C-alpha cells in the first residue's frame, strides 16, 4: 500500500500511499487505517517515515516493515513552500539528493544567503542562522 523512496539513513519518503480510489480488490492496510483515522492523522503521499516500531535507521525501518504484522509509525509531514531564489553576484547552490526512480528531490542544506534570499520564509518562522 506504500511506495517508498530512501534518500538518506534517517528517513523514508512516502512517494505514494494507496487510497480507496486505487481500485484494489483487497484494500491494503494503509487504506484500512486511513478510513478510521482523523484526516490530520492519515498517512499521505509525500509524508516521511522517521521511525518504525522505534527504529530510526532507514534500513532497519524497512526491515521492520517487511517483518512485522503490527507497526507503530512516526511520520513527519513537510510544509510545502514555493519560494523564488534570485541569482546575484554571489553563487547560490542548493545541494539536492534523490534515489533511483525517485519522483522528487530533497534539498539537503541551504546556506544562509539562500535562506535569507528566499522570499516570504520569515512568515513561516524560517530565518537564516
Amino acid at each position: 500500500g506504500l511506495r517508498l523512496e530512501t534518500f538518506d539513513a534517517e528517513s523514508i519518503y512516502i512517494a505514494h500511499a494507496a487510497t480507496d480510489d486505487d481500485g484494489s480488490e483487497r484494500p491494503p492496510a494503509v487504506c484500512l487505517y486511513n478510513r478510521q483515522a482523523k484526516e490530520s492523522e492519515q498517512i499521505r503521499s509525500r509524508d516521511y517515515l522517521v521511525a518504525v516500531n522505534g527504529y530510526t535507521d532507514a534500513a532497519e525501518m524497512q526491515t521492520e516493515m517487511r517483518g512485522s504484522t503490527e507497526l507503530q509509525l512516526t511520520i513527519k509531514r513537510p510544509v510545502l513552500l514555493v519560494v523564488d531564489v534570485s541569482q546575484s553576484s554571489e553563487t547560490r547552490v542548493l545541494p539536492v539528493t534523490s534515489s533511483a526512480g525517485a519522483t522528487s528531490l530533497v534539498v539537503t542544506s541551504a546556506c544562509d544567503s539562500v535562506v535569507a534570499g528566499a522570499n516570504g520564509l520569515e512568515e513561516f518562522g524560517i530565518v537564516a542562522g
Side-chain angles (χ1 to χ4, degrees), residues 5 31 34 38 80 84 98-99 114 124-125:
E5 298 175 1
C31 289
N34 281 348
K38 293 188 287 187
L80 178 63
D84 293 322
S98 66
S99 61
V114 170
F124 293 99

Side-chain angles (χ1 to χ4, degrees), residues 79-83 118-127:
V79 175
L80 178 63
L81 300 174
V82 177
V83 297
N119 299 326
L121 288 181
E122 294 80 9
E123 65 185 88
F124 293 99
I126 300 174
V127 294

Side-chain angles (χ1 to χ4, degrees), residues 32-65:
L32 299 175
Y33 168 80
N34 281 348
R35 285 179 192 166
Q36 56 84 35
K38 293 188 287 187
E39 186 175 348
S40 63
E41 296 178 1
Q42 292 179 355
I43 300 168
R44 302 178 190 165
S45 298
R46 294 185 227 102
D47 284 344
Y48 287 85
L49 294 173
V50 293
V52 175
N53 292 348
Y55 292 95
T56 57
D57 175 78
E60 291 174 336
M61 287 189 274
Q62 289 179 324
T63 299
E64 191 69 12
M65 290 180 74

